[in-house]
């Protein structure tokens, strides 16, 4: 890493990678705090990895703490703007307990489209059926496209 006063241009990729990866590592505990009551239980390996990465770009323990706090705030900001997707994934995981990558993509796509994700009949491993779906999550479908939006 560059010393004090040296150009940091050559190390920009390292800084960027450390920042992005730390945001990813703290995002799980941030999401837990957003969705669940009480304090989140952070993954020990995630915390260790985040501290190790942050230590590459920070000199002091105080700087590491501040960098991780910054990463947590960035994760919170990113997650808050996608809260509807996180809630949909949370509900789908509560129903199914496990989702494949394709199912996660489907939940996200239908949530973004403004629809409610429903497990296919017989797909849930615990025997739950699509007929059991809280009425609060029934989609509000627009049946007509406003004339102002009909032409592209």
């Amino acid at each position: 890493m560059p010393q004090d006063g040296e150009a940091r241009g050559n190390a920009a990729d390292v800084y960027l990678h450390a920042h992005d990866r730390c945001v990813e590592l703290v995002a799980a505990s941030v999401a837990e705090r957003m969705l669940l009551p009480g304090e989140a239980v952070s993954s020990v390996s995630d915390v260790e990895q985040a501290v190790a990465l942050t230590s590459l770009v920070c000199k002091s323990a105080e700087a590491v703490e501040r960098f991780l706090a910054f990463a947590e705030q960035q994760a919170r900001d990113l997650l808050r703007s996608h809260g509807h997707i996180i809630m949909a994934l949370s509900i789908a995981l509560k129903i199914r307990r496990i989702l494949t990558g394709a199912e996660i993509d489907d939940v996200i796509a239908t949530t973004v489209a403004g629809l409610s994700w429903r497990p296919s009949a017989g797909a849930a491993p615990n025997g739950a059926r699509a007929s059991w779906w809280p009425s609060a999550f029934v989609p509000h479908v627009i049946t007509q496209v406003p004339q102002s939006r009909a032409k592209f």
Side-chain angles (χ1 to χ4, degrees), residues 11-96:
D13 288 341
V14 176
Y15 285 105
L16 184 60
H17 175 74
H19 168 265
D20 291 348
R21 187 70 181 119
C22 284
V23 170
E24 291 171 3
L25 290 167
V26 300
S29 61
V30 169
E32 284 182 24
R33 277 187 241 125
M34 290 172 73
L35 293 173
L36 302 172
E39 185 59 31
V41 180
S42 297
S43 166
V44 174
S45 65
D46 285 355
V47 172
E48 289 173 348
Q49 286 180 44
V51 170
L53 279 168
T54 304
S55 297
L56 291 174
V57 296
C58 296
K59 289 186 175 183
S60 68
E62 181 183 352
V64 168
E65 273 185 46
R66 289 183 181 193
F67 191 92
L68 291 175
F70 171 65
E72 284 185 7
Q73 184 61 50
Q74 289 227 301
R76 191 173 299 108
D77 292 345
L78 288 168
L79 292 171
R80 188 174 296 129
S81 64
H82 300 290
H84 58 293
I85 295 171
I86 294 167
M87 289 301 295
L89 286 168
S90 172
I91 292 165
L93 282 168
K94 287 177 184 177
I95 293 170
R96 296 286 305 278

Side-chain angles (χ1 to χ4, degrees), residues 62-149:
E62 181 183 352
V64 168
E65 273 185 46
R66 289 183 181 193
F67 191 92
L68 291 175
F70 171 65
E72 284 185 7
Q73 184 61 50
Q74 289 227 301
R76 191 173 299 108
D77 292 345
L78 288 168
L79 292 171
R80 188 174 296 129
S81 64
H82 300 290
H84 58 293
I85 295 171
I86 294 167
M87 289 301 295
L89 286 168
S90 172
I91 292 165
L93 282 168
K94 287 177 184 177
I95 293 170
R96 296 286 305 278
R97 294 285 191 220
I98 192 167
L99 295 172
T100 65
E103 290 170 330
I104 290 170
D105 290 344
D106 183 44
V107 172
I108 293 170
T110 55
T111 302
V112 169
L115 304 175
S116 180
W117 179 83
R118 294 176 182 247
S120 57
N126 62 359
R129 298 282 184 249
S131 61
W132 179 86
W133 193 256
S135 60
F137 300 108
V138 173
H140 300 287
V141 179
I142 298 172
T143 55
Q144 288 186 329
V145 178
Q147 291 299 333
S148 62
R149 304 250 186 206

